[in-house]
Amino acid sequence: MTTPRTAVGAVTAATLGLLLAGCASPVQTVSHAEEAPDVTRESGFYVNPETSAAQWVADNPDDPRAALIEERIAGVAQATWFADHDPGTIEAEVDALASAAEADGTVPVMVVYNVPGRDCGNHSDGGAPDHESYRAWIDSFAAGLDGRPATIVIEPDALSLMGTCEGQPPAEVMDSIAYAGGTLREASDQARVYLDIGHSDWHAPEDVAELLHGVDAGQNAHGIATNTSNYRTTADEVAYAEAIVAASGLDLTAIVDTSRNGNGPSEDSEWCDPPGRALGTATTADTGSPVVDAFVWVKLPGEADGCAGPAGSFIPDIAFELADNTGG
């Protein structure tokens, strides 16, 4: 269910210009263990009791790793990924999450991850069979929102991989991203929609800004999402987000994935289940930046990138290491 971060080289501005032609549109310190649950309760974001970490703890109460995983991971607000092409049930699934958060008085974090040909067919391959089906799925997703609050991340990696995936025509992908953002934004004036744009060690801010104009981000989104499933430091990502917004000239804000960046990336910047990482700042709207709306656990800590296990599978050893390496 979870996309890995890739090390694909930056797309040049000239290449981006060709890709965009004709595309229509419709620092943070490591969090301390004892702070994470309190910060989460004050954050206003929904703590889903059915995350993979929470389910594993419930199923393995006597495991010596369970207490720490429960304390430092399961009690923190995290995203729910909608990564299956399930046109018959997606509306009900979104409605159920939105309803649970509404009853709790909090805001759910949702990830839309179903674009055709996603992840270039790598660890997190899948997605809708075609763009017409994808847009119908988005319509059903929007119906499930029913005007309620949500923080929504649109299609991790899709913009950053633009033009590099066989079977992903750039114009069609960009039109579908624009459609997804615009449709979900219109579906609820209480929702906040963010387009995923990779991380600070990928594309230059000016190149990302050009992509954002290509999907008419000023009309089809409220902001951008950075560092999804990656490990770049919060300070680097805040600066990156601010630079992208400035370069774009658009009225956008940002969110930063801080789920696994507590001690930054590995020395070799390995993106696929690198060892020795730590949890980052727990989900919060207190960012200290006028551009960054929130630090959010978009990637679920303990879920594999695709090397330690199938992408999205829960690996308790990874979860425990992340928690054990964090503050205290």
Side-chain angles (χ1 to χ4, degrees):
M1 287 177 61
T2 310
T3 180
R5 301 301 91 194
T6 63
V8 176
V11 179
T12 66
T15 300
L16 288 174
L18 292 174
L19 295 178
L20 299 178
C23 288
S25 59
V27 237
Q28 212 62 18
T29 58
V30 176
S31 59
H32 295 292
E34 66 272 15
E35 292 175 353
D38 292 334
V39 169
T40 297
R41 281 194 292 270
E42 296 171 1
S43 73
F45 290 97
Y46 180 61
V47 179
N48 191 337
E50 297 182 358
T51 63
S52 52
Q55 291 176 339
W56 182 85
V57 168
D59 292 340
N60 299 274
D62 298 326
D63 190 290
R65 299 164 294 183
L68 193 64
I69 292 173
E70 180 176 27
E71 177 188 359
R72 300 189 180 184
I73 296 178
V76 177
Q78 301 166 52
T80 298
W81 289 61
F82 294 88
D84 297 324
H85 186 66
D86 46 4
T89 59
I90 184 62
E91 180 177 347
E93 292 167 7
V94 173
D95 174 68
L97 181 62
S99 295
E102 184 176 38
D104 190 52
T106 53
V107 177
V109 180
M110 306 178 179
V111 179
V112 171
Y113 193 47
N114 190 37
V115 73
R118 71 180 184 211
D119 196 35
C120 288
N122 289 323
H123 296 295
S124 296
D125 65 342
D130 53 63
H131 289 276
E132 182 178 1
S133 299
Y134 176 76
R135 296 181 192 191
W137 184 87
I138 288 291
D139 290 341
S140 296
F141 193 113
L145 283 177
D146 194 25
R148 289 170 294 190
T151 291
I152 305 172
V153 177
I154 301 290
E155 298 300 343
D157 279 355
L159 284 178
S160 294
L161 288 171
M162 195 59 57
T164 66
C165 298
E166 183 178 352
Q168 266 199 337
E172 290 187 31
V173 175
M174 295 187 78
D175 281 351
S176 284
I177 290 173
Y179 183 85
T183 300
L184 296 178
R185 181 170 178 170
E186 291 177 6
S188 173
D189 60 8
Q190 297 188 70
R192 298 283 297 176
V193 176
Y194 300 87
L195 304 179
D196 185 88
I197 51 76
H199 56 78
S200 58
D201 196 42
W202 203 338
H203 298 305
E206 295 76 15
D207 292 344
V208 175
E210 192 169 354
L211 283 168
L212 292 173
H213 280 282
V215 295
D216 198 7
Q219 294 296 318
N220 294 319
H222 296 97
I224 58 176
T226 82
N227 207 41
T228 301
S229 298
N230 210 277
Y231 303 86
R232 316 313 299 185
T233 68
T234 301
D236 284 350
E237 292 305 302
V238 169
Y240 186 54
E242 292 174 345
I244 290 169
V245 171
S248 73
L250 300 172
D251 183 20
L252 298 173
T253 56
I255 60 173
V256 174
D257 184 355
T258 55
S259 59
R260 306 184 298 179
N261 71 345
N263 57 6
S266 62
E267 291 184 2
D268 60 359
S269 291
E270 172 60 51
W271 59 266
C272 191
D273 298 318
R277 301 308 90 212
L279 301 171
T281 302
T283 299
T284 177
D286 183 12
T287 70
S289 167
V291 168
V292 180
D293 294 331
F295 302 142
V296 179
W297 283 14
V298 181
K299 169 73 175 186
L300 280 67
E303 291 194 358
D305 293 321
C307 293
S313 62
F314 184 75
I315 310 295
D317 281 344
I318 292 179
F320 182 79
E321 182 181 43
L322 287 167
D324 194 42
N325 287 342
T326 301

